Structures are given as structure tokens and as C-alpha cells.
């Protein structure tokens, strides 16, 4: 499954599905309409199925003005819990935004990690970014989505960074796929760590072109596929890699429905998919 939304992002959660991680179909249905946040949008929906059997969802609920993100949970991706606003940056009154919260289940520590991008003006060095567009990555952890640790800095690579996603290859082997949001870069890179929370190091050269963002990663056989939004030329693209050092463009090997925007890829049972298809008939 691939969580999704369409611009202008006020409609809500959409879902794609695939049997092989290469060819995707849109269920053409809005499964959850956003009701929390200042602007009440649902951008960058991130879903993880936890050991509790629930699908946990977080999303960007405003472009700016919010100091948190939206949260809901579901057993079947159809019926959702009451939406909640999680005010993770409330203790930082100058926070401009909370963008693209990304869920990761840390199976070693039995907890959920949520990372996101925020700007706090004049906190960090900047290049040609405006102070209100100079992002760094922050994180919180939770075991129950009721109690959250105080948000802390997750990544300061020395440049404005957004849209990061954690990938676990094996114990003590983690990769972070991220967007360098500086001008004129605005492209995708990777970094490496021994723990899910880092520290991440050895930030790579870009593996995507300019004006690309929103990476989503899935393991398919021996390859990792990285899907991303090439918003500069209004296309959704993909690369494959075995080692996160060599990357191969596979645009001619994948099919992605038109209008699909930045989400995350997760697994669901065939029974769940059957239920979704029946819901949209």
C-alpha cells in the first residue's frame, strides 16, 4: 500500500496498492477527511502498521502556523479513530511549521519514532534560505500515541533539510533518505547510522535531479526502490539501489497513477485490500 493525497490536499487520505511494488493502482477514494489543524489539510500522510495490529497515520495539517501534526488509527484503513492534533513543538514558540511527519517503528526499542521538519528562525546557520525556510529535522518517540517524549533535534546536516525517511537494513545499519532543501539544490541524498535515531553521517552527493522531494522507500527482492516527487517536471519518478551508493533510474519499469503525491509505502494483508476494494465499489 502507498498512502497518498492529491493537491490541493484538502480532500484527505487516498491509497494506492501494488502486488509487486512496481505497478501501482489508485483506489480512487478518499478514506479520511482532515478535521484538525489550522488549515485542515492532509499532506504527506505516513502510515505504519504496528505490532498492535493497528495502522497508525500521521500527516501535515497546515503549511504554517501549526506546532504539531494530525494523528489517527485504524484496523482496516476504512474506519478511523477520532483525529487528534499532536502539539509536538508547542515548547518552541517561534516554530514556523511542522512538515511531513514520518512514522518509523523501532523494533529494537519497541517504540514508534516520528520525525518531521520544522523551521525555528535564527536557530541555525543558513545559506540563501530565508530564515522562515531554514529547516532542520526533529523527532519524538511514543509507545502508545498518548504519551510522547519531548521533541528534540534529530538532524542538523549543516543545511536546510526536509522530507527524511528512516530505513533499517539490519541491526546497526540504518539509512536516512532526505531532501537537501537549499537553493539551488532541492534534491535527494542519503546518510548512514548505527541507530535509528542516529547520529547520521556521510551525507551523500544527490542521487536525484533538482526540484525533487518526498522520498518513499520499499524493499523489492534484493533492491530498494525509492519513489519521489519530481515536482520540477511534474512527474513521479523512481530509482533502485542495492547499497544506497549506486542508483539506477527505473522510470520505465514503474507505473504510478497521475495526481499521486508524497506518502509512505507499507504492507497490508490481502484481506485488508479486499475490504478496501469492497468499500469503494
Amino acid at each position: 500500500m502507498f498512502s497518498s493525497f492529491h493537491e490541493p490536499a484538502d480532500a484527505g487520505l487516498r491509497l494506492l496498492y501494488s502486488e509487486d511494488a512496481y505497478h501501482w493502482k489508485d483506489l480512487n477514494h478518499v478514506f479520511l477527511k482532515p478535521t484538525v489543524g489550522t488549515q485542515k489539510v492532509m499532506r504527506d500522510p505516513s502510515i505504519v502498521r504496528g505490532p498492535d495490529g493497528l495502522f497508525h497515520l500521521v500527516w501535515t495539517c497546515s503549511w504554517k502556523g501549526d506546532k504539531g501534526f494530525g494523528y489517527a488509527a485504524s484496523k482496516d484503513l476504512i474506519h478511523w479513530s477520532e483525529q487528534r492534533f499532536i502539539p509536538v513543538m508547542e515548547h518552541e514558540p517561534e516554530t514556523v511549521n511542522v512538515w511531513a511527519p514520518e512514522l518509523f517503528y523501532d523494533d529494537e526499542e519497541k517504540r514508534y519514532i516520528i520525525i518531521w521538519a520544522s523551521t525555528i528562525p535564527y536557530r541555525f546557520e543558513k545559506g540563501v534560505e530565508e530564515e522562515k525556510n531554514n529547516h532542520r529535522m526533529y523527532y519524538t518517540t511514543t509507545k502508545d500515541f498518548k504519551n510522547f517524549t519531548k521533541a528534540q533535534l534529530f538532524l542538523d546536516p549543516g543545511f536546510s533539510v526536509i522530507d527524511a525517511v528512516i530505513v533499517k537494513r539490519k541491526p546497526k545499519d540504518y539509512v536516512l533518505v532526505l531532501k537537501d532543501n537549499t537553493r539551488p539544490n532541492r534534491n535527494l541524498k542519503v546518510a548512514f547510522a548505527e541507530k535509528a535515531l542516529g547520529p547520521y553521517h556521510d551525507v551523500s552527493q544527490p542521487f536525484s535531479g533538482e526540484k525533487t522531494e518526498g522520498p518513499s522507500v520499499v524493499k523489492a527482492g534484493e533492491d530498494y526502490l525509492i519513489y519521489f516527487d519530481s515536482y520540477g517536471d511534474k512527474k513521479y519518478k523512481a530509482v533502485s539501489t542495492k547499497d544506497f551508493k549506486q542508483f539506477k533510474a527505473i522510470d520505465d519499469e514503474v507505473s504510478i497513477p497521475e495526481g499521486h503525491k508524497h506518502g509512505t509505502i507499507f504492507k497490508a494483508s490481502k484481506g485488508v485490500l479486499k475490504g478496501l476494494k469492497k468499500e469503494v465499489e
Side-chain angles (χ1 to χ4, degrees):
M1 305 294 303
F2 205 153
S3 58
S4 179
F5 72 98
H6 282 188
E7 296 288 13
D10 56 356
L13 174 69
R14 300 175 69 93
L15 295 168
L16 316 182
Y17 68 95
S18 174
E19 300 286 348
D20 61 5
Y22 284 84
H23 302 94
W24 297 89
K25 294 180 180 178
D26 194 336
L27 285 162
N28 284 316
H29 186 78
V30 173
F31 291 94
L32 184 66
K33 297 179 182 296
T35 60
V36 299
T38 302
Q39 292 174 285
K40 293 181 174 57
V41 295
M42 184 178 286
R43 300 180 61 83
D44 323 308
S46 175
I47 295 178
V48 160
R49 185 174 185 268
D52 56 4
L54 292 176
F55 294 99
H56 298 277
L57 164 68
V58 295
W59 68 91
T60 306
C61 46
S62 291
W63 277 102
K64 58 183 179 179
D66 281 351
K67 293 181 175 60
F69 50 77
Y71 167 76
S74 174
K75 287 183 179 180
D76 56 11
L77 300 172
I78 299 168
H79 306 94
W80 291 87
S81 66
E82 184 177 352
Q83 296 176 39
R84 287 161 45 208
F85 179 77
I86 312 298
V88 287
M89 294 296 278
E90 211 169 36
H91 63 292
E92 290 281 7
E94 302 302 314
T95 300
V96 174
N97 59 330
V98 173
W99 280 1
E102 187 77 24
L103 270 167
F104 176 81
Y105 183 69
D106 181 358
D107 57 3
E108 294 180 29
E109 299 291 336
K110 305 282 190 290
R111 64 185 176 182
Y112 300 88
I113 297 171
I114 308 164
I115 60 175
W116 66 88
S118 285
T119 295
I120 303 175
Y122 306 103
R123 180 70 56 90
F124 300 99
E125 286 188 32
K126 67 180 185 68
V128 296
E129 290 8 274
E130 294 181 6
E131 283 295 345
K132 291 188 177 181
N133 197 38
N134 189 26
H135 296 80
R136 295 301 186 272
M137 296 297 302
Y138 292 83
Y139 80 93
T140 182
T141 68
T142 183
K143 294 192 174 186
D144 55 11
F145 290 93
K146 295 174 184 174
N147 302 289
F148 296 83
T149 59
K150 184 177 179 180
Q152 298 183 58
L153 185 66
F154 173 75
L155 180 70
D156 173 18
F159 54 79
S160 181
V161 57
I162 68 172
D163 289 359
V165 55
I166 300 169
V167 180
K168 181 181 181 179
R169 291 193 283 188
K170 57 187 179 183
K172 295 189 176 181
D173 185 358
Y174 293 83
V175 179
L176 190 72
V177 185
L178 59 101
K179 180 188 179 185
D180 178 342
N181 201 41
T182 58
R183 279 74 180 146
N185 292 320
R186 287 181 283 182
N187 49 31
L188 301 177
K189 301 177 175 179
V190 296
F192 304 89
E194 291 188 359
K195 295 180 180 179
L197 288 177
Y200 285 87
H201 52 80
D202 296 331
V203 178
S204 73
Q205 292 299 307
F207 65 82
S208 70
E210 189 185 358
K211 294 186 178 178
T212 49
E213 65 184 9
S216 307
V217 185
V218 60
K219 183 86 179 292
E222 294 183 358
D223 293 329
Y224 290 90
L225 312 184
I226 307 175
Y227 287 89
F228 58 91
D229 188 352
S230 183
Y231 64 94
D233 54 12
K234 296 182 179 177
K235 294 179 181 177
Y236 224 86
K237 296 185 175 181
V239 299
S240 68
T241 182
K242 286 181 168 55
D243 56 9
F244 290 93
K245 293 177 181 176
Q246 302 291 325
F247 301 88
K248 173 191 171 188
I250 56 168
D251 300 327
D252 57 347
E253 299 176 38
V254 302
S255 56
I256 304 134
E258 191 173 348
H260 165 66
K261 299 289 285 184
H262 178 192
T264 55
I265 299 171
F266 61 98
K267 288 186 177 181
S269 69
K270 289 184 178 180
V272 166
L273 178 58
K274 186 177 179 182
L276 289 167
K277 287 181 174 179
K278 188 174 181 181
E279 178 72 11
V280 302
E281 282 178 356

